[in-house]
């Protein structure tokens, strides 16, 4: 079993923004793997979909707790499904990478990302796989919030579309082969 969590903010006003690239990846995986993602009756913490891919149970989730409070939703899902951390991939935006760049790691610090910091605090560990998707950092001092909550330029969107296609392939590799093979193939 594998769980893939894409971090973002719920609500139509955030759709298509840089900070919601994790949600966009989950939407693409949902389509590619034919696993519908929707709100569950038993919790208001996340939208989720469950299905099979090549004999593996797959869970896709979008925390509904907003980006900087993603930890409680992910902790709930991990506990509910009794999943070890190494079978969960957390996917999110990164301003320290140029638009469209992917970086996959098996563990580590939050690197200044508040959403991941909340996840690491909630699960009390840095030993969780993560995929960072570069969104660039072309913003004036003090304007980071405006930048991450805005849409990509048309040139950036082309790079993001290519990155999301690669990210789907990387997640499929993670599901089938684990984190080490995924890092070897996609970093």
């Amino acid at each position: 079993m594998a769980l893939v969590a894409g971090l973002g903010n719920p609500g139509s006003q955030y759709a298509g923004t840089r900070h919601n690239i994790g949600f966009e990846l989950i939407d693409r995986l949902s389509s590619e793997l034919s696993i519908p993602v929707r709100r569950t009756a038993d919790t208001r913490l996340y939208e989720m979909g469950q299905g099979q891919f090549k004999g593996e149970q797959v869970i896709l989730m979008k925390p509904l707790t907003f980006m900087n409070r993603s930890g409680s939703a992910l902790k709930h899902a991990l506990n509910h499904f009794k999943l070890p951390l190494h079978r969960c991939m957390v996917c999110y935006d990164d301003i320290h990478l140029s638009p469209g760049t992917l970086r996959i790691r098996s563990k580590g610090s939050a690197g200044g990302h508040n959403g991941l910091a909340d996840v690491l605090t909630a699960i009390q560990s840095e030993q969780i796989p993560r995929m960072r998707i570069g969104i660039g950092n072309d913003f004036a001092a003090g304007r980071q919030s405006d930048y991450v909550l805005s849409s990509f330029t048309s040139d950036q969107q082309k790079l993001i579309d290519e990155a999301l296609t690669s990210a789907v392939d990387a997640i499929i590799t993670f599901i089938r082969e684990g984190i080490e093979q995924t890092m070897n193939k996609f970093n």
Side-chain angles (χ1 to χ4, degrees), residues 10 15 39 50 52 77-79 81-82 101-102 108 113 121-122 161:
R39 190 171 289 213
Q50 288 181 265
Q52 294 281 327
L78 288 166
N79 289 339
F81 293 103
K82 296 175 180 44
T101 303
L102 296 180
H113 194 282
T121 298
D161 288 339

Side-chain angles (χ1 to χ4, degrees), residues 29-94:
L29 285 163
S30 173
S31 177
E32 181 76 21
L33 303 177
S34 300
I35 300 175
V37 174
R38 57 184 155 268
R39 190 171 289 213
T40 61
D42 64 332
T43 181
R44 293 180 180 202
L45 293 173
Y46 46 79
E47 291 181 352
M48 183 186 71
Q50 288 181 265
Q52 294 281 327
F53 177 74
K54 305 273 186 184
E56 284 285 334
Q57 179 74 10
V58 178
I59 302 156
L60 304 176
M61 82 172 271
K62 296 181 195 177
L64 297 176
T65 49
F66 288 88
M67 174 65 82
N68 294 346
R69 298 285 182 246
S70 299
S72 60
L74 188 58
K75 182 179 179 181
H76 181 275
L78 288 166
N79 289 339
H80 178 77
F81 293 103
K82 296 175 180 44
L83 270 172
L85 294 180
H86 75 274
R87 291 303 295 155
C88 176
M89 176 76 78
V90 181
C91 307
Y92 56 96
D93 63 286
D94 192 328

Side-chain angles (χ1 to χ4, degrees), residues 89 102-106 130-131 170 179 182-183 186-187:
M89 176 76 78
L102 296 180
R103 288 290 182 271
I104 302 165
R105 299 285 183 261
S106 61
R130 76 279 314 267
M131 175 187 289
I179 187 63
T182 305
M183 290 190 302
F186 292 92
N187 279 337

